[in-house]
């Protein structure tokens, strides 16, 4: 086979290994999710070698999706790290064979502290499975390695099962994008989910119009405003909104009579408004839903505070 054919076969083997996990999902998975969900402490993930690398990623995924978690190497437990564990915690122990010596020497300490163990291995008959409160089977029929030796399909299966745990817990916790943003405040998603209208709204030189103003004069103010809109105000309250599109359609409709018409003749009387605290992510949903490019920011009395347009949301 060519190198590309080896690569294709590897991907196929690992994909098949993932599909083979589905029939192995049983009450142990459900019970493990429930155990972790009701845990008042932390999820302590542990494993040796490749299982340790996978465990570190699983711990990071759990932590970023609402389940406090961290990874420890079972070897470090013998040198003081046992002090971080309490009876309120849950241990997620990972070993493909379920017989890893360093991990098994750690298990009696956990049992002595009466900390529940969720075991994840490819051997339901292993010692790890025997001493686990719940055991999740991640066995694979073969490794993607041509020699069937290097951890490939098995590590992929374990990683996927860890993601499955995290996703199930997210649903159980009703974990939402806003929650995700709090754990990822530095990324683009975090910025969009944490930034509010007051952070980006334009507040100066807003194109404010009188409802009785003729459209010829209104065009000039809308153009100067450079927002593609004008806000009609009456008694210090929003009366309506006109846009560039409204003006073009009015020109086509009334032609020579256009300049005799007023803002009130074409304005939308109930424009979409948001509060200063409305998140940018929600504003984007409103714009997409109603196919508009701007929203007005108001207080409870419908006083105009500012305007957020499509470009303001591009952070």
């Amino acid at each position: 086979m060519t190198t590309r054919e080896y690569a294709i076969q590897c991907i196929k083997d690992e994909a098949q290994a993932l599909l083979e996990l589905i029939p192995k999902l049983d009450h142990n998975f459900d019970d493990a999710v429930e155990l972790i969900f009701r845990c008042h402490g932390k999820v302590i993930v542990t494993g040796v070698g490749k299982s340790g690398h996978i465990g570190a990623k699983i711990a990071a995924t759990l932590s970023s999706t609402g389940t406090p978690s961290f990874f420890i190497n079972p070897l470090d437990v013998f040198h003081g790290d046992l002090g971080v564990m309490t009876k309120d915690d849950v241990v997620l122990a990972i070993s493909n064979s379920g017989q890893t010596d360093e991990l098994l020497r750690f298990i009696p300490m956990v049992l002595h502290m009466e900390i529940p163990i969720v075991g994840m291995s490819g051997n339901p008959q292993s010692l790890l499975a025997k001493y686990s409160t719940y055991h999740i089977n991640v066995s694979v029929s073969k490794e993607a390695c041509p020699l069937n030796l290097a951890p490939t399909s098995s590590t992929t299966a374990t990683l996927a099962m860890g993601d499955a745990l995290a996703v199930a817990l997210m649903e159980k916790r009703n974990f939402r994008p806003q929650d995700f943003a709090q754990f990822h405040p530095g990324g683009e998603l975090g910025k969009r989910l944490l930034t509010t209208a007051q952070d980006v709204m334009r507040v100066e030189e807003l194109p404010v119009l009188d409802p009785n103003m003729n459209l010829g004069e209104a065009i000039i103010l809308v153009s100067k405003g450079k927002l593609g809109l004008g806000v009609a105000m009456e008694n210090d309250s929003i009366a309506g909104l006109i846009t560039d599109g409204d003006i073009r359609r009015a020109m086509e409709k009334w032609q020579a009579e256009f300049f005799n018409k007023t803002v009130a003749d074409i304005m939308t009387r109930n424009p979409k408004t948001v509060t200063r605290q409305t998140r940018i992510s929600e504003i984007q949903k409103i714009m997409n839903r109603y196919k508009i490019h701007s929203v007005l920011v108001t207080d409870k009395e419908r006083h105009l505070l500012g305007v957020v347009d499509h470009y303001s949301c591009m952070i």
Side-chain angles (χ1 to χ4, degrees):
M1 290 198 300
T2 65
T3 53
R4 187 179 300 178
E5 288 172 334
Y6 275 118
I8 292 171
Q9 187 58 50
C10 174
I11 293 171
K12 286 182 177 180
D13 288 343
E14 296 202 9
Q16 183 60 36
L18 294 183
L19 292 175
E20 290 173 359
L21 287 181
I22 296 174
K24 298 183 177 75
L25 289 170
D26 58 15
H27 70 89
N28 281 281
F29 181 87
D30 299 331
D31 292 339
V33 170
E34 187 67 25
L35 175 66
I36 296 173
F37 176 70
R38 298 191 179 281
C39 170
H40 297 295
K42 312 167 291 297
V43 175
I44 299 172
V45 186
T46 187
V48 179
K50 302 296 189 300
S51 293
H53 295 311
I54 296 299
K57 190 276 178 184
I58 292 174
T61 300
L62 288 170
S63 290
S64 68
T65 53
T67 301
S69 176
F70 65 90
F71 174 82
I72 63 173
N73 189 311
L75 297 175
D76 294 332
V77 172
F78 300 102
H79 301 281
D81 281 6
L82 191 64
V84 304
M85 299 172 59
T86 72
K87 290 185 178 181
D88 291 328
D89 299 333
V90 171
V91 167
L92 174 58
I94 302 171
S95 167
N96 184 44
S97 68
Q99 302 286 127
T100 306
D101 182 63
E102 298 90 338
L103 187 63
L104 293 179
R105 285 192 284 130
F106 168 53
I107 297 299
M109 303 179 190
V110 179
L111 296 175
H112 179 72
M113 296 180 66
E114 298 181 349
I115 298 174
I117 300 172
V118 175
M120 190 180 293
S121 82
N123 184 1
Q125 309 304 319
S126 64
L127 287 174
L128 175 59
K130 178 180 178 180
Y131 290 111
S132 295
T133 309
Y134 303 112
H135 178 259
I136 298 175
N137 184 1
V138 289
S139 60
V140 298
S141 56
K142 67 172 184 174
E143 298 287 4
C145 164
L147 303 176
N148 197 31
L149 294 174
T152 44
S153 297
S154 58
T155 49
T156 300
T158 305
L159 182 62
M161 189 61 77
D163 288 342
L165 272 176
V167 169
L169 285 162
M170 287 175 69
E171 286 299 314
K172 202 164 182 64
R173 296 184 195 283
N174 196 31
F175 196 82
R176 291 294 172 255
Q178 292 81 0
D179 304 310
F180 188 85
Q182 291 177 1
F183 294 102
H184 302 76
E188 179 182 346
L189 176 62
K191 290 179 181 178
R192 285 195 289 112
L193 292 172
L194 295 179
T195 303
T196 61
Q198 67 181 353
D199 297 321
V200 300
M201 67 184 184
R202 175 171 161 182
V203 297
E204 297 179 354
E205 299 181 359
L206 297 176
V208 174
L209 315 173
D210 186 297
N212 298 314
M213 179 184 294
N214 66 59
L215 291 178
E217 186 179 355
I219 288 176
I220 296 174
L221 293 179
V222 169
S223 178
K224 285 183 177 180
K226 298 181 180 179
L227 285 171
L229 57 79
V231 185
M233 300 290 293
E234 194 170 36
N235 298 325
D236 200 30
S237 183
I238 296 173
L241 175 78
I242 66 171
T243 66
D244 285 339
D246 295 329
I247 294 172
R248 288 195 301 272
R249 286 186 288 273
M251 284 181 171
E252 293 174 1
K253 179 178 179 181
W254 286 311
Q255 298 184 14
E257 295 295 316
F258 171 81
F259 291 97
N260 296 326
K261 300 297 180 178
T262 65
V263 169
D265 291 325
I266 67 170
M267 69 183 184
T268 299
R269 297 183 180 275
N270 292 295
K272 300 303 176 186
T273 62
V274 298
T275 70
R276 284 180 292 193
Q277 289 74 40
T278 304
R279 292 186 175 90
I280 292 300
S281 57
E282 184 61 32
I283 292 175
Q284 289 177 316
K285 291 179 182 178
I286 294 172
M287 290 180 180
N288 291 335
R289 184 182 308 131
Y290 296 103
K291 294 180 173 57
I292 56 178
H293 64 77
S294 301
V295 295
L296 307 182
V297 184
T298 66
D299 58 19
K300 294 181 180 179
E301 288 74 37
R302 286 180 64 81
H303 296 148
L304 180 65
L305 303 177
V307 176
V308 176
D309 65 4
H310 171 73
Y311 297 103
S312 303
C313 297
M314 298 174 65
I315 59 175

